[in-house]
PDB file of all heavy atoms in Angstrom:
ATOM      1  N   THR A   1      -0.244   8.416  11.369  1.00  0.00           N
ATOM      2  CA  THR A   1       0.535   9.255  12.272  1.00  0.00           C
ATOM      3  C   THR A   1       1.336   8.387  13.201  1.00  0.00           C
ATOM      4  O   THR A   1       0.831   7.425  13.768  1.00  0.00           O
ATOM      5  CB  THR A   1      -0.382  10.195  13.061  1.00  0.00           C
ATOM      6  OG1 THR A   1      -1.172  10.956  12.160  1.00  0.00           O
ATOM      7  CG2 THR A   1       0.407  11.160  13.962  1.00  0.00           C
ATOM      8  N   THR A   2       2.614   8.708  13.373  1.00  0.00           N
ATOM      9  CA  THR A   2       3.490   7.852  14.159  1.00  0.00           C
ATOM     10  C   THR A   2       3.130   7.920  15.637  1.00  0.00           C
ATOM     11  O   THR A   2       2.715   8.919  16.173  1.00  0.00           O
ATOM     12  CB  THR A   2       4.963   8.275  14.019  1.00  0.00           C
ATOM     13  OG1 THR A   2       5.102   9.657  14.441  1.00  0.00           O
ATOM     14  CG2 THR A   2       5.434   8.131  12.583  1.00  0.00           C
ATOM     15  N   ASP A   3       3.247   6.711  16.263  1.00  0.00           N
ATOM     16  CA  ASP A   3       3.204   6.620  17.730  1.00  0.00           C
ATOM     17  C   ASP A   3       4.507   6.012  18.214  1.00  0.00           C
ATOM     18  O   ASP A   3       5.505   6.072  17.545  1.00  0.00           O
ATOM     19  CB  ASP A   3       1.968   5.810  18.183  1.00  0.00           C
ATOM     20  CG  ASP A   3       1.962   4.405  17.551  1.00  0.00           C
ATOM     21  OD1 ASP A   3       3.028   3.918  17.117  1.00  0.00           O
ATOM     22  OD2 ASP A   3       0.912   3.757  17.543  1.00  0.00           O
ATOM     23  N   ALA A   4       4.499   5.431  19.404  1.00  0.00           N
ATOM     24  CA  ALA A   4       5.736   4.874  19.959  1.00  0.00           C
ATOM     25  C   ALA A   4       6.331   3.742  19.098  1.00  0.00           C
ATOM     26  O   ALA A   4       7.517   3.466  19.188  1.00  0.00           O
ATOM     27  CB  ALA A   4       5.506   4.406  21.386  1.00  0.00           C
ATOM     28  N   THR A   5       5.500   3.097  18.298  1.00  0.00           N
ATOM     29  CA  THR A   5       5.975   1.992  17.470  1.00  0.00           C
ATOM     30  C   THR A   5       6.216   2.382  16.004  1.00  0.00           C
ATOM     31  O   THR A   5       6.757   1.609  15.249  1.00  0.00           O
ATOM     32  CB  THR A   5       4.973   0.827  17.488  1.00  0.00           C
ATOM     33  OG1 THR A   5       3.719   1.239  16.925  1.00  0.00           O
ATOM     34  CG2 THR A   5       4.743   0.342  18.916  1.00  0.00           C
ATOM     35  N   GLY A   6       5.812   3.574  15.621  1.00  0.00           N
ATOM     36  CA  GLY A   6       5.977   4.016  14.207  1.00  0.00           C
ATOM     37  C   GLY A   6       4.650   4.230  13.577  1.00  0.00           C
ATOM     38  O   GLY A   6       3.690   4.668  14.178  1.00  0.00           O
ATOM     39  N   ALA A   7       4.570   3.879  12.272  1.00  0.00           N
ATOM     40  CA  ALA A   7       3.318   4.008  11.512  1.00  0.00           C
ATOM     41  C   ALA A   7       3.054   2.765  10.671  1.00  0.00           C
ATOM     42  O   ALA A   7       4.060   2.105  10.271  1.00  0.00           O
ATOM     43  CB  ALA A   7       3.361   5.275  10.638  1.00  0.00           C
ATOM     44  N   THR A   8       1.815   2.495  10.373  1.00  0.00           N
ATOM     45  CA  THR A   8       1.504   1.281   9.575  1.00  0.00           C
ATOM     46  C   THR A   8       0.221   1.512   8.807  1.00  0.00           C
ATOM     47  O   THR A   8      -0.790   1.984   9.329  1.00  0.00           O
ATOM     48  CB  THR A   8       1.273   0.056  10.512  1.00  0.00           C
ATOM     49  OG1 THR A   8       2.418  -0.160  11.318  1.00  0.00           O
ATOM     50  CG2 THR A   8       1.007  -1.205   9.687  1.00  0.00           C
ATOM     51  N   LEU A   9       0.293   1.133   7.518  1.00  0.00           N
ATOM     52  CA  LEU A   9      -0.909   0.960   6.720  1.00  0.00           C
ATOM     53  C   LEU A   9      -0.866  -0.415   6.063  1.00  0.00           C
ATOM     54  O   LEU A   9       0.216  -1.032   5.990  1.00  0.00           O
ATOM     55  CB  LEU A   9      -1.011   2.029   5.618  1.00  0.00           C
ATOM     56  CG  LEU A   9      -1.499   3.434   6.008  1.00  0.00           C
ATOM     57  CD1 LEU A   9      -1.743   4.303   4.751  1.00  0.00           C
ATOM     58  CD2 LEU A   9      -2.785   3.386   6.804  1.00  0.00           C
ATOM     59  N   LEU A  10      -2.035  -0.887   5.635  1.00  0.00           N
ATOM     60  CA  LEU A  10      -2.106  -2.176   4.958  1.00  0.00           C
ATOM     61  C   LEU A  10      -2.105  -1.995   3.454  1.00  0.00           C
ATOM     62  O   LEU A  10      -2.709  -1.068   2.932  1.00  0.00           O
ATOM     63  CB  LEU A  10      -3.383  -2.920   5.372  1.00  0.00           C
ATOM     64  CG  LEU A  10      -3.589  -3.242   6.859  1.00  0.00           C
ATOM     65  CD1 LEU A  10      -4.954  -3.908   7.059  1.00  0.00           C
ATOM     66  CD2 LEU A  10      -2.488  -4.145   7.386  1.00  0.00           C
ATOM     67  N   LEU A  11      -1.422  -2.891   2.758  1.00  0.00           N
ATOM     68  CA  LEU A  11      -1.634  -3.029   1.324  1.00  0.00           C
ATOM     69  C   LEU A  11      -2.642  -4.177   1.177  1.00  0.00           C
ATOM     70  O   LEU A  11      -2.455  -5.284   1.666  1.00  0.00           O
ATOM     71  CB  LEU A  11      -0.329  -3.389   0.623  1.00  0.00           C
ATOM     72  CG  LEU A  11      -0.495  -3.631  -0.910  1.00  0.00           C
ATOM     73  CD1 LEU A  11      -0.876  -2.342  -1.597  1.00  0.00           C
ATOM     74  CD2 LEU A  11       0.776  -4.205  -1.466  1.00  0.00           C
ATOM     75  N   VAL A  12      -3.756  -3.880   0.494  1.00  0.00           N
ATOM     76  CA  VAL A  12      -4.881  -4.790   0.390  1.00  0.00           C
ATOM     77  C   VAL A  12      -5.115  -5.132  -1.077  1.00  0.00           C
ATOM     78  O   VAL A  12      -5.092  -4.247  -1.962  1.00  0.00           O
ATOM     79  CB  VAL A  12      -6.181  -4.181   0.964  1.00  0.00           C
ATOM     80  CG1 VAL A  12      -7.332  -5.199   0.885  1.00  0.00           C
ATOM     81  CG2 VAL A  12      -5.937  -3.779   2.445  1.00  0.00           C
ATOM     82  N   VAL A  13      -5.346  -6.431  -1.362  1.00  0.00           N
ATOM     83  CA  VAL A  13      -5.709  -6.905  -2.706  1.00  0.00           C
ATOM     84  C   VAL A  13      -6.993  -7.664  -2.557  1.00  0.00           C
ATOM     85  O   VAL A  13      -7.072  -8.573  -1.724  1.00  0.00           O
ATOM     86  CB  VAL A  13      -4.605  -7.744  -3.334  1.00  0.00           C
ATOM     87  CG1 VAL A  13      -5.131  -8.361  -4.644  1.00  0.00           C
ATOM     88  CG2 VAL A  13      -3.351  -6.947  -3.591  1.00  0.00           C
ATOM     89  N   ASN A  14      -7.982  -7.318  -3.339  1.00  0.00           N
ATOM     90  CA  ASN A  14      -9.225  -8.069  -3.384  1.00  0.00           C
ATOM     91  C   ASN A  14      -9.299  -8.800  -4.743  1.00  0.00           C
ATOM     92  O   ASN A  14      -9.549  -8.217  -5.789  1.00  0.00           O
ATOM     93  CB  ASN A  14     -10.463  -7.180  -3.205  1.00  0.00           C
ATOM     94  CG  ASN A  14     -11.730  -7.966  -2.985  1.00  0.00           C
ATOM     95  OD1 ASN A  14     -11.925  -8.980  -3.593  1.00  0.00           O
ATOM     96  ND2 ASN A  14     -12.577  -7.436  -2.108  1.00  0.00           N
ATOM     97  N   ALA A  15      -9.022 -10.103  -4.712  1.00  0.00           N
ATOM     98  CA  ALA A  15      -8.959 -10.876  -5.970  1.00  0.00           C
ATOM     99  C   ALA A  15     -10.272 -10.906  -6.682  1.00  0.00           C
ATOM    100  O   ALA A  15     -10.310 -10.990  -7.918  1.00  0.00           O
ATOM    101  CB  ALA A  15      -8.520 -12.297  -5.637  1.00  0.00           C
ATOM    102  N   PHE A  16     -11.364 -10.781  -5.969  1.00  0.00           N
ATOM    103  CA  PHE A  16     -12.704 -10.779  -6.617  1.00  0.00           C
ATOM    104  C   PHE A  16     -12.914  -9.619  -7.537  1.00  0.00           C
ATOM    105  O   PHE A  16     -13.656  -9.693  -8.515  1.00  0.00           O
ATOM    106  CB  PHE A  16     -13.795 -10.796  -5.514  1.00  0.00           C
ATOM    107  CG  PHE A  16     -15.171 -10.898  -6.023  1.00  0.00           C
ATOM    108  CD1 PHE A  16     -15.699 -12.122  -6.437  1.00  0.00           C
ATOM    109  CD2 PHE A  16     -15.989  -9.795  -6.123  1.00  0.00           C
ATOM    110  CE1 PHE A  16     -17.005 -12.226  -6.925  1.00  0.00           C
ATOM    111  CE2 PHE A  16     -17.319  -9.865  -6.603  1.00  0.00           C
ATOM    112  CZ  PHE A  16     -17.792 -11.066  -7.012  1.00  0.00           C
ATOM    113  N   TYR A  17     -12.215  -8.487  -7.189  1.00  0.00           N
ATOM    114  CA  TYR A  17     -12.421  -7.274  -8.009  1.00  0.00           C
ATOM    115  C   TYR A  17     -11.386  -7.071  -9.075  1.00  0.00           C
ATOM    116  O   TYR A  17     -11.407  -6.078  -9.786  1.00  0.00           O
ATOM    117  CB  TYR A  17     -12.444  -6.033  -7.052  1.00  0.00           C
ATOM    118  CG  TYR A  17     -13.623  -5.904  -6.188  1.00  0.00           C
ATOM    119  CD1 TYR A  17     -13.569  -5.371  -4.924  1.00  0.00           C
ATOM    120  CD2 TYR A  17     -14.899  -6.337  -6.660  1.00  0.00           C
ATOM    121  CE1 TYR A  17     -14.658  -5.309  -4.109  1.00  0.00           C
ATOM    122  CE2 TYR A  17     -15.998  -6.233  -5.848  1.00  0.00           C
ATOM    123  CZ  TYR A  17     -15.908  -5.708  -4.594  1.00  0.00           C
ATOM    124  OH  TYR A  17     -17.059  -5.615  -3.802  1.00  0.00           O
ATOM    125  N   LEU A  18     -10.486  -8.000  -9.232  1.00  0.00           N
ATOM    126  CA  LEU A  18      -9.446  -7.884 -10.323  1.00  0.00           C
ATOM    127  C   LEU A  18     -10.164  -8.021 -11.650  1.00  0.00           C
ATOM    128  O   LEU A  18     -10.927  -8.980 -11.869  1.00  0.00           O
ATOM    129  CB  LEU A  18      -8.374  -8.934 -10.119  1.00  0.00           C
ATOM    130  CG  LEU A  18      -7.387  -8.762  -9.000  1.00  0.00           C
ATOM    131  CD1 LEU A  18      -6.525  -9.972  -8.831  1.00  0.00           C
ATOM    132  CD2 LEU A  18      -6.533  -7.511  -9.263  1.00  0.00           C
ATOM    133  N   ALA A  19      -9.832  -7.116 -12.553  1.00  0.00           N
ATOM    134  CA  ALA A  19     -10.368  -7.217 -13.914  1.00  0.00           C
ATOM    135  C   ALA A  19      -9.653  -8.370 -14.634  1.00  0.00           C
ATOM    136  O   ALA A  19      -8.606  -8.851 -14.222  1.00  0.00           O
ATOM    137  CB  ALA A  19     -10.196  -5.909 -14.658  1.00  0.00           C
ATOM    138  N   ASN A  20     -10.260  -8.848 -15.764  1.00  0.00           N
ATOM    139  CA  ASN A  20      -9.658  -9.941 -16.505  1.00  0.00           C
ATOM    140  C   ASN A  20      -8.353  -9.484 -17.171  1.00  0.00           C
ATOM    141  O   ASN A  20      -8.345  -8.762 -18.141  1.00  0.00           O
ATOM    142  CB  ASN A  20     -10.643 -10.392 -17.596  1.00  0.00           C
ATOM    143  CG  ASN A  20     -11.890 -11.055 -17.011  1.00  0.00           C
ATOM    144  OD1 ASN A  20     -11.827 -11.479 -15.844  1.00  0.00           O
ATOM    145  ND2 ASN A  20     -12.950 -11.147 -17.740  1.00  0.00           N
ATOM    146  N   GLN A  21      -7.277  -9.902 -16.601  1.00  0.00           N
ATOM    147  CA  GLN A  21      -5.955  -9.604 -17.129  1.00  0.00           C
ATOM    148  C   GLN A  21      -4.982 -10.561 -16.522  1.00  0.00           C
ATOM    149  O   GLN A  21      -5.356 -11.443 -15.760  1.00  0.00           O
ATOM    150  CB  GLN A  21      -5.571  -8.156 -16.811  1.00  0.00           C
ATOM    151  CG  GLN A  21      -5.479  -7.876 -15.305  1.00  0.00           C
ATOM    152  CD  GLN A  21      -5.013  -6.497 -15.012  1.00  0.00           C
ATOM    153  OE1 GLN A  21      -5.585  -5.530 -15.484  1.00  0.00           O
ATOM    154  NE2 GLN A  21      -3.950  -6.359 -14.270  1.00  0.00           N
ATOM    155  N   LYS A  22      -3.712 -10.413 -16.900  1.00  0.00           N
ATOM    156  CA  LYS A  22      -2.699 -11.339 -16.347  1.00  0.00           C
ATOM    157  C   LYS A  22      -2.577 -11.181 -14.835  1.00  0.00           C
ATOM    158  O   LYS A  22      -2.835 -10.120 -14.281  1.00  0.00           O
ATOM    159  CB  LYS A  22      -1.344 -11.079 -17.005  1.00  0.00           C
ATOM    160  CG  LYS A  22      -0.751  -9.749 -16.676  1.00  0.00           C
ATOM    161  CD  LYS A  22       0.604  -9.559 -17.355  1.00  0.00           C
ATOM    162  CE  LYS A  22       1.226  -8.219 -17.002  1.00  0.00           C
ATOM    163  NZ  LYS A  22       2.574  -8.058 -17.594  1.00  0.00           N
ATOM    164  N   PRO A  23      -2.206 -12.281 -14.131  1.00  0.00           N
ATOM    165  CA  PRO A  23      -2.109 -12.183 -12.691  1.00  0.00           C
ATOM    166  C   PRO A  23      -1.095 -11.147 -12.221  1.00  0.00           C
ATOM    167  O   PRO A  23      -0.067 -10.942 -12.866  1.00  0.00           O
ATOM    168  CB  PRO A  23      -1.631 -13.600 -12.300  1.00  0.00           C
ATOM    169  CG  PRO A  23      -2.074 -14.458 -13.454  1.00  0.00           C
ATOM    170  CD  PRO A  23      -1.953 -13.597 -14.660  1.00  0.00           C
ATOM    171  N   LEU A  24      -1.392 -10.489 -11.128  1.00  0.00           N
ATOM    172  CA  LEU A  24      -0.514  -9.484 -10.550  1.00  0.00           C
ATOM    173  C   LEU A  24       0.656 -10.197  -9.826  1.00  0.00           C
ATOM    174  O   LEU A  24       0.470 -11.201  -9.177  1.00  0.00           O
ATOM    175  CB  LEU A  24      -1.281  -8.646  -9.552  1.00  0.00           C
ATOM    176  CG  LEU A  24      -0.533  -7.582  -8.787  1.00  0.00           C
ATOM    177  CD1 LEU A  24      -0.093  -6.467  -9.731  1.00  0.00           C
ATOM    178  CD2 LEU A  24      -1.469  -7.001  -7.702  1.00  0.00           C
ATOM    179  N   ASP A  25       1.887  -9.676  -9.983  1.00  0.00           N
ATOM    180  CA  ASP A  25       3.021 -10.338  -9.293  1.00  0.00           C
ATOM    181  C   ASP A  25       3.628  -9.437  -8.180  1.00  0.00           C
ATOM    182  O   ASP A  25       4.344  -9.938  -7.357  1.00  0.00           O
ATOM    183  CB  ASP A  25       4.072 -10.798 -10.304  1.00  0.00           C
ATOM    184  CG  ASP A  25       4.651  -9.601 -11.088  1.00  0.00           C
ATOM    185  OD1 ASP A  25       4.231  -8.464 -10.843  1.00  0.00           O
ATOM    186  OD2 ASP A  25       5.474  -9.853 -11.956  1.00  0.00           O
ATOM    187  N   SER A  26       3.368  -8.167  -8.200  1.00  0.00           N
ATOM    188  CA  SER A  26       3.902  -7.282  -7.179  1.00  0.00           C
ATOM    189  C   SER A  26       3.196  -5.912  -7.202  1.00  0.00           C
ATOM    190  O   SER A  26       2.574  -5.558  -8.197  1.00  0.00           O
ATOM    191  CB  SER A  26       5.409  -7.089  -7.352  1.00  0.00           C
ATOM    192  OG  SER A  26       5.675  -6.343  -8.537  1.00  0.00           O
ATOM    193  N   ALA A  27       3.361  -5.194  -6.118  1.00  0.00           N
ATOM    194  CA  ALA A  27       2.931  -3.807  -6.026  1.00  0.00           C
ATOM    195  C   ALA A  27       4.045  -2.999  -5.427  1.00  0.00           C
ATOM    196  O   ALA A  27       4.813  -3.561  -4.597  1.00  0.00           O
ATOM    197  CB  ALA A  27       1.661  -3.698  -5.211  1.00  0.00           C
ATOM    198  N   VAL A  28       4.142  -1.756  -5.779  1.00  0.00           N
ATOM    199  CA  VAL A  28       5.226  -0.881  -5.253  1.00  0.00           C
ATOM    200  C   VAL A  28       4.590   0.273  -4.474  1.00  0.00           C
ATOM    201  O   VAL A  28       3.708   0.983  -5.027  1.00  0.00           O
ATOM    202  CB  VAL A  28       6.105  -0.334  -6.396  1.00  0.00           C
ATOM    203  CG1 VAL A  28       7.211   0.528  -5.784  1.00  0.00           C
ATOM    204  CG2 VAL A  28       6.735  -1.508  -7.158  1.00  0.00           C
ATOM    205  N   VAL A  29       5.032   0.475  -3.255  1.00  0.00           N
ATOM    206  CA  VAL A  29       4.505   1.540  -2.408  1.00  0.00           C
ATOM    207  C   VAL A  29       5.643   2.446  -1.978  1.00  0.00           C
ATOM    208  O   VAL A  29       6.700   1.967  -1.567  1.00  0.00           O
ATOM    209  CB  VAL A  29       3.802   0.934  -1.169  1.00  0.00           C
ATOM    210  CG1 VAL A  29       3.284   2.044  -0.244  1.00  0.00           C
ATOM    211  CG2 VAL A  29       2.633   0.048  -1.582  1.00  0.00           C
ATOM    212  N   GLU A  30       5.380   3.736  -2.032  1.00  0.00           N
ATOM    213  CA  GLU A  30       6.374   4.717  -1.570  1.00  0.00           C
ATOM    214  C   GLU A  30       5.866   5.325  -0.240  1.00  0.00           C
ATOM    215  O   GLU A  30       4.676   5.726  -0.148  1.00  0.00           O
ATOM    216  CB  GLU A  30       6.558   5.843  -2.595  1.00  0.00           C
ATOM    217  CG  GLU A  30       7.599   6.868  -2.176  1.00  0.00           C
ATOM    218  CD  GLU A  30       7.710   7.990  -3.214  1.00  0.00           C
ATOM    219  OE1 GLU A  30       6.929   8.933  -3.156  1.00  0.00           O
ATOM    220  OE2 GLU A  30       8.565   7.854  -4.143  1.00  0.00           O
ATOM    221  N   VAL A  31       6.709   5.343   0.771  1.00  0.00           N
ATOM    222  CA  VAL A  31       6.362   5.864   2.086  1.00  0.00           C
ATOM    223  C   VAL A  31       7.310   6.999   2.426  1.00  0.00           C
ATOM    224  O   VAL A  31       8.527   6.881   2.300  1.00  0.00           O
ATOM    225  CB  VAL A  31       6.447   4.742   3.169  1.00  0.00           C
ATOM    226  CG1 VAL A  31       5.807   5.204   4.429  1.00  0.00           C
ATOM    227  CG2 VAL A  31       5.812   3.463   2.683  1.00  0.00           C
ATOM    228  N   SER A  32       6.758   8.148   2.874  1.00  0.00           N
ATOM    229  CA  SER A  32       7.587   9.316   3.106  1.00  0.00           C
ATOM    230  C   SER A  32       7.134  10.112   4.339  1.00  0.00           C
ATOM    231  O   SER A  32       5.991  10.032   4.760  1.00  0.00           O
ATOM    232  CB  SER A  32       7.562  10.226   1.870  1.00  0.00           C
ATOM    233  OG  SER A  32       6.281  10.668   1.642  1.00  0.00           O
ATOM    234  N   THR A  33       8.091  10.854   4.881  1.00  0.00           N
ATOM    235  CA  THR A  33       7.764  11.804   5.985  1.00  0.00           C
ATOM    236  C   THR A  33       8.805  12.922   5.975  1.00  0.00           C
ATOM    237  O   THR A  33       9.860  12.808   5.304  1.00  0.00           O
ATOM    238  CB  THR A  33       7.720  11.083   7.333  1.00  0.00           C
ATOM    239  OG1 THR A  33       7.125  11.954   8.304  1.00  0.00           O
ATOM    240  CG2 THR A  33       9.137  10.687   7.787  1.00  0.00           C
ATOM    241  N   SER A  34       8.508  14.017   6.687  1.00  0.00           N
ATOM    242  CA  SER A  34       9.390  15.153   6.670  1.00  0.00           C
ATOM    243  C   SER A  34       9.337  15.881   8.003  1.00  0.00           C
ATOM    244  O   SER A  34       8.381  15.699   8.795  1.00  0.00           O
ATOM    245  CB  SER A  34       9.062  16.112   5.522  1.00  0.00           C
ATOM    246  OG  SER A  34       7.765  16.638   5.707  1.00  0.00           O
ATOM    247  N   TYR A  35      10.316  16.727   8.223  1.00  0.00           N
ATOM    248  CA  TYR A  35      10.374  17.628   9.386  1.00  0.00           C
ATOM    249  C   TYR A  35      10.911  18.964   8.929  1.00  0.00           C
ATOM    250  O   TYR A  35      11.921  19.016   8.202  1.00  0.00           O
ATOM    251  CB  TYR A  35      11.208  17.035  10.501  1.00  0.00           C
ATOM    252  CG  TYR A  35      11.451  17.957  11.666  1.00  0.00           C
ATOM    253  CD1 TYR A  35      10.382  18.587  12.301  1.00  0.00           C
ATOM    254  CD2 TYR A  35      12.748  18.201  12.127  1.00  0.00           C
ATOM    255  CE1 TYR A  35      10.563  19.438  13.345  1.00  0.00           C
ATOM    256  CE2 TYR A  35      12.961  19.002  13.224  1.00  0.00           C
ATOM    257  CZ  TYR A  35      11.882  19.659  13.838  1.00  0.00           C
ATOM    258  OH  TYR A  35      12.087  20.494  14.870  1.00  0.00           O
ATOM    259  N   LYS A  36      10.253  20.051   9.274  1.00  0.00           N
ATOM    260  CA  LYS A  36      10.605  21.368   8.826  1.00  0.00           C
ATOM    261  C   LYS A  36      10.558  21.465   7.312  1.00  0.00           C
ATOM    262  O   LYS A  36      11.332  22.268   6.713  1.00  0.00           O
ATOM    263  CB  LYS A  36      11.990  21.799   9.386  1.00  0.00           C
ATOM    264  CG  LYS A  36      12.022  22.009  10.891  1.00  0.00           C
ATOM    265  CD  LYS A  36      13.347  22.559  11.348  1.00  0.00           C
ATOM    266  CE  LYS A  36      13.362  22.799  12.833  1.00  0.00           C
ATOM    267  NZ  LYS A  36      14.680  23.364  13.291  1.00  0.00           N
ATOM    268  N   GLY A  37       9.697  20.695   6.670  1.00  0.00           N
ATOM    269  CA  GLY A  37       9.598  20.746   5.249  1.00  0.00           C
ATOM    270  C   GLY A  37      10.651  19.981   4.501  1.00  0.00           C
ATOM    271  O   GLY A  37      10.688  20.053   3.261  1.00  0.00           O
TER     272      GLY A  37
END
């Protein structure tokens, strides 16, 4: 929820829990908000 500075969440990666596969090179996050729908 926004305050005077805006809003923030963390993108977290735990390397210990990565399954055996090729290394990850990026992640994509979509951030959205609305007013009056």
Side-chain angles (χ1 to χ4, degrees):
T1 303
T2 59
D3 57 19
T5 62
T8 303
L9 282 187
L10 300 176
L11 177 66
V12 181
V13 172
N14 192 321
F16 183 79
Y17 288 146
L18 287 171
N20 292 340
Q21 62 176 55
K22 66 179 182 179
L24 178 68
D25 60 2
S26 67
V28 181
V29 178
E30 183 181 86
V31 191
S32 61
T33 193
S34 63
Y35 173 51
K36 293 186 177 180

